[in-house]
């Protein structure tokens, strides 16, 4: 019994010593997710947003993307640096992704995106990404929103970018899929489902019409999407903590040649929103684990959305 009492007293003394010196603990920051909305060439503004977040040391743990947001999100999450992304943006044109075709389903095919993504992405599957990613698309027949989290990245991104009327639908596992903007204009809710505790939404707000009659077919489609997005705004905004809206109203749908200006628009809008985002990191809860040097972002495994087979 004396030996047991001696052991207990030693453990108690050790505990008091630790309490006196204090045990270093690391802060627990909230899981931050970024939702990148659609907007075709205007999506280059997303690069500016990500650039400022990285410069400010904001730990982005999750990304979800719709349409061009899926394209840029996939590139970033695969491991491309912001410098590399900017170089890619400056080299892109409409024909980088698309080729005109004759079809009753659309005016163009985005099959060139296969080659583009194959050469651009650092990895080719969701499971290999350095940051977990959700890619949205819409089932053409049911209108159901689909969110991809697993398997090959390339076809889901193509489906997310399949702008109805312009691009042909993409068939994946027996389902014909079109642009994710129809179901998730800004994919904030998919981010919540992936586990995001704080959601930064990037909305590429701006009308396509210049006033008066539309100039061409693309104005009709683009303005129709803008109207639909405004009607759905309350849905995705309700799942966002901060909404960033780069000023892209003066840019055309295919203004790839103005990538530099679009990136600057994203940078400016994100800087304006930084005071709100910094508050997320001001008073983090303490994690009950010893402090250690932060390691590489740990990849979680988001729940995959099942899709029926043929």
């Amino acid at each position: 019994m004396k030996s047991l009492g001696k052991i207990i007293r030693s453990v108690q003394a050790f505990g008091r010593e630790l309490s006196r010196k204090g045990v270093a603990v690391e802060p627990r920051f909230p899981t931050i997710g970024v939702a990148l909305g659609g907007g075709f060439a205007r999506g280059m503004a997303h690069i500016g947003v990500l650039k400022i977040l990285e410069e400010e040391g904001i730990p982005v743990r999750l990304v979800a993307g719709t349409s061009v947001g899926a394209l840029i999100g996939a590139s970033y999450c695969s491991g491309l640096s912001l410098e590399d992304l900017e170089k890619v943006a400056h080299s892109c044109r409409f024909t980088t992704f698309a080729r005109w075709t004759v079809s009753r389903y659309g005016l163009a095919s985005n099959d060139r995106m296969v080659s583009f993504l194959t050469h651009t992405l650092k990895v080719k599957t969701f499971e290999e990404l350095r940051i977990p990613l959700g890619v949205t698309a819409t089932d053409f027949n049911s209108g159901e929103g689909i969110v991809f989290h697993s398997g090959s990245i390339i076809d889901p991104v193509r489906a997310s970018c399949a702008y109805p009327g312009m691009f042909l639908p993409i068939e994946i596992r027996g389902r014909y899929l079109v642009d994710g903007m129809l179901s998730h204009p800004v994919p904030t809710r998919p981010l919540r489902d992936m586990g995001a505790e704080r959601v930064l939404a990037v909305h590429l707000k701006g009308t396509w019409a210049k006033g008066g009659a539309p100039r061409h077919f693309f104005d009709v489609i683009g303005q129709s999407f803008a109207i639909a997005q405004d009607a759905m705004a309350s849905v995705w905004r309700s799942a966002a903590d901060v909404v960033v809206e780069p000023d892209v109203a003066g840019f055309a749908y295919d203004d790839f040649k103005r990538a530099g200006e679009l990136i600057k628009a994203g940078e400016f809008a994100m800087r304006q929103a930084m005071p709100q985002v910094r508050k997320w990191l001001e008073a983090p809860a303490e994690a009950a684990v010893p402090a250690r040097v932060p390691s590489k972002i740990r990849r979680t495994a988001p729940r995959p959305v099942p899709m029926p087979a043929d």
Side-chain angles (χ1 to χ4, degrees), residues 82-165:
L82 271 302
E83 183 180 359
D84 288 339
L85 263 177
E86 287 193 62
K87 289 178 181 177
V88 171
H90 283 286
S91 67
C92 286
R93 295 294 183 268
F94 179 80
T95 53
T96 303
F97 314 106
R99 62 179 178 83
W100 299 111
T101 187
V102 178
S103 172
R104 57 183 174 174
Y105 299 126
L107 299 176
S109 167
N110 68 8
D111 56 1
R112 286 180 177 171
M113 196 174 286
V114 174
S115 177
F116 172 80
L117 291 171
T118 299
H119 288 92
T120 301
L121 300 181
K122 297 290 188 181
V123 297
K124 305 302 184 294
T125 67
F126 284 91
E127 289 80 6
E128 298 173 284
L129 295 171
R130 70 184 182 96
I131 300 174
L133 172 71
V135 170
T136 71
T138 306
D139 186 304
F140 177 76
N141 291 303
S142 68
E144 177 188 0
I146 305 296
V147 184
F148 291 91
H149 296 298
S150 63
S152 173
I153 301 168
I154 293 175
D155 276 348
V157 171
R158 288 182 64 210
S160 190
C161 295
Y163 207 70

Side-chain angles (χ1 to χ4, degrees), residues 119-268:
H119 288 92
T120 301
L121 300 181
K122 297 290 188 181
V123 297
K124 305 302 184 294
T125 67
F126 284 91
E127 289 80 6
E128 298 173 284
L129 295 171
R130 70 184 182 96
I131 300 174
L133 172 71
V135 170
T136 71
T138 306
D139 186 304
F140 177 76
N141 291 303
S142 68
E144 177 188 0
I146 305 296
V147 184
F148 291 91
H149 296 298
S150 63
S152 173
I153 301 168
I154 293 175
D155 276 348
V157 171
R158 288 182 64 210
S160 190
C161 295
Y163 207 70
M166 181 182 292
F167 292 116
L168 310 183
I170 304 300
E171 182 182 359
I172 300 179
R173 301 175 207 166
R175 304 178 79 165
Y176 288 92
L177 305 178
V178 293
D179 204 309
M181 282 208 296
L182 289 172
S183 52
H184 295 290
V186 184
T188 54
R189 291 193 177 277
L191 268 183
R192 293 290 184 188
D193 293 340
M194 291 167 67
E197 296 171 312
R198 293 289 183 271
V199 171
L200 175 75
V202 187
H203 179 218
L204 303 177
K205 183 177 176 61
T207 60
W208 294 74
K210 302 295 183 182
R215 295 169 300 165
H216 43 59
F217 177 68
F218 299 124
D219 270 358
V220 175
I221 297 178
Q223 185 65 2
S224 296
F225 262 96
I227 293 168
Q229 276 189 294
D230 286 344
M232 298 173 66
S234 61
V235 177
W236 63 261
R237 283 180 184 273
S238 66
D241 294 293
V242 171
V243 177
V244 177
E245 296 184 303
D247 183 4
V248 296
F251 297 87
Y253 79 96
D254 59 349
D255 255 343
F256 292 99
K257 61 183 180 296
R258 299 175 68 186
E261 296 173 68
L262 284 160
I263 292 170
K264 291 295 183 185
E267 291 178 22
F268 179 80

